[in-house]
Amino acid sequence: MKKIKLLAALFTALIMIIGTGCERVAPNYAGVLMENFGKDGKDDFSLVKGRVWTLAPGTELFQVPLFDQRGDFDGRMTLKASDNTEFYARPAYSYKVIEKRAIDVVFDNKQIDGGRDFMNSLEDNILEPRIYDLTKEESRKYST
């Protein structure tokens, strides 16, 4: 009787470990699995779908949305025209990650914010500064 209780407890513990060691890639998301802490570069990254085993050390799953994302700047931007006139703008932008390039997006930007809230960190640290630079450069071509 003790063996049956022990086996049942071990089986329950095993099921709990298996259940918590898996993550599910959401529909319409690209799952990018990093293994071996990414030491071998892009060879350690792969596109995955469904349930993914993430309990192994050095393994992390990034979920990249494959649908249109919209973002905007927190505050207004101060820009200057070619005649040195100052004006303000608050641009909104949209972007979409191509599934084939999801590994590149994660590989190039995984260090941002330690992987927490990956897409918001990508917007704040990569997209918005580049959009700001382009907008500033383009605004200098026109006079008000």
Side-chain angles (χ1 to χ4, degrees):
M1 190 58 134
K2 288 183 180 180
K3 285 185 178 182
I4 294 174
K5 287 183 180 179
L6 181 63
L7 284 174
L10 287 174
F11 184 71
T12 304
L14 181 63
I15 294 297
M16 289 176 58
I17 289 172
I18 289 173
T20 59
C22 288
E23 287 185 49
R24 182 178 166 271
V25 178
N28 209 13
Y29 279 75
V32 178
L33 182 66
M34 178 183 73
E35 298 174 312
N36 192 26
F37 298 100
K39 289 180 181 177
D40 291 333
K42 285 188 184 176
D43 294 336
D44 284 339
F45 291 80
S46 59
L47 284 174
V48 293
K49 294 182 180 189
R51 289 206 175 270
V52 181
W53 181 259
T54 58
L55 194 59
T59 302
E60 189 171 352
L61 178 67
F62 294 89
Q63 294 200 39
V64 181
L66 297 176
F67 47 89
D68 287 338
Q69 298 288 303
R70 295 193 52 81
D72 59 354
F73 287 77
D74 292 333
R76 62 184 186 181
M77 295 187 323
T78 304
L79 302 168
K80 287 190 178 185
S82 63
D83 58 358
N84 232 10
T85 307
E86 225 175 59
F87 65 97
Y88 303 102
R90 188 170 180 224
Y93 56 90
S94 63
Y95 63 96
K96 182 177 180 179
V97 176
I98 301 168
E99 186 172 10
K100 293 177 185 176
R101 301 294 309 264
I103 290 176
D104 296 329
V105 169
V106 171
F107 181 75
D108 293 341
N109 304 298
K110 71 182 180 310
Q111 74 283 357
I112 299 173
D113 200 31
R116 295 179 306 271
D117 205 8
F118 178 69
M119 293 309 288
N120 284 337
S121 298
L122 185 66
E123 287 176 7
D124 294 342
N125 295 303
I126 302 296
L127 291 177
E128 287 183 9
R130 288 186 181 173
I131 290 170
Y132 177 71
D133 290 343
L134 289 171
T135 306
K136 192 167 81 171
E137 186 178 308
E138 192 65 26
S139 71
R140 297 294 281 168
K141 294 179 181 178
Y142 301 98
S143 64
T144 55

